[in-house]
Amino acid sequence: MLNRFIGLSTTIVGRSSRSGFLSSSSLLKAGGSRNQKQNRTMSSGKAFKVLVTHPEVPQEGIDILKQNCEVIQVQSVPVDRAELLRKISGVDGVLWGGHQPLNAEALDAAGPQLKSISTMSAGIDYVDVPELKKRKIPLGHTPTVLNTAVADLAVGLLIAAGRRFHEGRKKIDNDQWENYHLNWLLGQDIRDSTVGFYGFGGIGQAIAKRLSGFDIDRVLYTTRRRVHKEIEEEFNAKKVDFDTLLAESDFIVIASPLTKDTQGVFNATAFNKMKETAVLVNIGRGKIVNQDDLYEALKSNRIFSAGLDVVDPEPLSPKDKLLTLDNVVVLPHIGSATKRTRAEMATIAAHNVLRGLVGEPMLSPAY
């Protein structure tokens, strides 16, 4: 039955092969020749048991699993750790649907028969990857399918922060509609601007593609490796060091994963190297930014504004000092929060789990 459902995700948006990532169609074709073997394996003998760790995982993914497996689901919201650890015992696979720590505690509770895990996320900073590798458990994730939704939101944050949306709304709320001033609530132009990317993978490139319609001047990017020449030509992009990115960018978009090298790299030193008119957008991870230093940079107008979909910690306290500022737009980590995107994430995660169960390469492996 598995081959019948592989086609459900043919519309999933993937990154081009020239950027170093397989497209969705390539991902799906990669497993097509193995479907008969998977069907034989799954149809013979006892059905695999799979845990879905969140009750709100889209039905599209659960339906795929149910065709071949016995599915158990955590029912608590927020997820109760005790329920998760109880229900994970004895399962063969896990669709990890939230951001609960995936660590030795969970793996020990599952038992040695555990064969396959996939998250329903791009980032896996909540996963103890070395522990999974030590136990030789394959791990899948869902990075490419959320590029479109996250890129759309990033552009929205860039505009909202650059054009002072939050401050304008507060003016209305406080009966301070002062448009008799000619220079009231003036913001930053995207047109002819330099947009810098800290991280320029699939999501960064999707953002750059959208911003090209705003007639930006050029793209700068800081990454470990240079992207393909064709991509640089398409986006008028140039790889630069971090200091150059900070000094020359009118807008800076953080689109990097959280690692030991990226944690806290946007700190007071970095903010002091940015233009006073610069706008910072973070759709990567909250811990990449030193939030106390960002607060001071915004409060003192050392930089113009910020738009954040990720913060540290999450959830952010409603009394956090960052929320007292006029020149920051904060969203509750909703970059991939569209119905279509979440359904596609669940679909890919389900396929990852099924492939791992029968010893086949996952559609989207994390390592």
Side-chain angles (χ1 to χ4, degrees):
M1 296 292 289
L2 185 62
N3 57 340
R4 173 183 168 194
F5 293 97
I6 290 291
L8 289 178
S9 51
T10 54
T11 60
I12 292 173
V13 178
R15 285 176 275 195
S16 64
S17 58
R18 68 178 181 179
S19 61
F21 300 91
L22 289 174
S23 67
S24 58
S25 58
S26 298
L27 284 172
L28 297 167
K29 288 178 182 177
S33 62
R34 304 184 181 98
N35 291 338
Q36 289 184 351
K37 177 182 176 182
Q38 290 173 320
N39 292 337
R40 289 195 300 269
T41 306
M42 288 187 162
S43 62
S44 61
K46 186 179 178 182
F48 290 117
K49 185 184 294 185
V50 175
L51 175 67
V52 177
T53 67
H54 199 288
E56 295 172 357
V57 168
Q59 195 64 38
E60 289 86 344
I62 294 172
D63 287 344
I64 291 169
L65 293 172
K66 282 184 175 179
Q67 293 298 320
N68 297 283
C69 305
E70 175 189 350
V71 176
I72 305 167
Q73 199 161 6
V74 171
Q75 297 299 326
S76 53
V77 179
V79 171
D80 177 66
R81 185 73 172 180
E83 181 190 2
L84 187 156
L85 294 176
R86 183 175 69 255
K87 288 185 173 180
I88 202 172
S89 176
V91 303
D92 303 292
V94 180
L95 194 162
W96 200 269
H99 289 80
Q100 281 260 342
L102 175 47
N103 54 19
E105 178 188 42
L107 300 177
D108 287 343
Q113 79 297 324
L114 182 62
K115 298 179 179 67
S116 179
I117 302 175
S118 181
T119 70
M120 206 182 87
S121 64
I124 53 172
D125 48 287
Y126 54 91
V127 180
D128 188 341
V129 171
E131 186 67 28
L132 266 73
K133 287 183 175 180
K134 183 177 74 174
R135 302 184 190 217
K136 298 181 180 179
I137 300 173
L139 175 69
H141 64 153
T142 60
T144 59
V145 296
L146 49 74
N147 290 3
T148 297
V150 175
D152 290 348
L153 181 128
V155 173
L157 276 174
L158 188 147
I159 296 171
R163 294 298 301 272
R164 304 168 73 170
F165 282 16
H166 177 61
E167 184 179 358
R169 174 56 192 264
K170 289 180 71 173
K171 293 287 188 184
I172 296 172
D173 291 342
N174 295 320
D175 195 22
Q176 296 175 337
W177 197 301
E178 301 169 356
N179 61 346
Y180 44 82
H181 291 296
L182 296 182
N183 60 350
W184 190 54
L185 289 176
L186 299 184
Q188 303 300 325
D189 279 303
I190 302 175
R191 178 185 54 177
D192 296 327
S193 66
T194 295
V195 181
F197 288 87
Y198 186 73
F200 198 51
I203 291 176
Q205 291 165 32
I207 297 168
K209 180 179 180 180
R210 285 153 177 74
L211 290 177
S212 65
F214 289 85
D215 299 323
I216 63 173
D217 180 48
R218 60 175 178 156
V219 165
L220 303 178
Y221 69 93
T222 297
T223 57
R224 287 180 296 175
R225 292 181 295 272
R226 183 179 176 183
V227 302
H228 288 282
K229 182 179 179 181
E230 294 89 344
I231 295 173
E232 291 188 336
E233 292 174 349
E234 179 181 356
F235 298 120
N236 190 23
K238 179 181 179 182
K239 186 178 186 301
V240 296
D241 60 40
F242 188 47
D243 284 349
T244 301
L245 184 86
L246 296 171
E248 297 187 12
S249 298
D250 299 300
F251 297 87
I252 294 180
V253 180
I254 301 173
S256 168
L258 177 65
T259 68
K260 58 181 177 60
D261 295 322
T262 64
Q263 183 168 346
V265 70
F266 280 86
N267 54 23
T269 301
F271 297 134
N272 286 335
K273 294 177 181 178
M274 291 171 61
K275 296 180 179 181
E276 291 186 0
T277 55
V279 175
L280 179 71
V281 173
N282 189 6
I283 47 85
R285 282 292 185 265
K287 287 183 181 292
I288 296 174
V289 175
N290 182 311
Q291 207 155 280
D292 288 332
D293 290 353
L294 176 62
Y295 170 81
E296 293 299 332
L298 291 168
K299 184 179 180 182
S300 65
N301 295 313
R302 180 61 196 81
I303 64 173
F304 186 77
S305 62
L308 312 173
D309 186 44
V310 288
V311 290
D312 179 35
E314 293 182 7
L316 191 67
S317 168
K319 297 181 179 180
D320 192 280
K321 61 185 178 182
L322 195 66
L323 301 178
T324 66
L325 300 175
D326 291 340
N327 56 343
V328 61
V329 179
V330 182
L331 298 179
H333 202 159
I334 56 173
S336 65
T338 72
K339 185 174 181 180
R340 175 176 173 176
T341 300
R342 291 289 167 84
E344 291 172 345
M345 292 167 72
T347 297
I348 290 293
H351 286 317
N352 283 339
V353 172
L354 292 178
R355 293 182 186 280
L357 286 173
V358 294
E360 295 293 330
M362 292 182 171
L363 286 181
S364 184
Y367 46 75

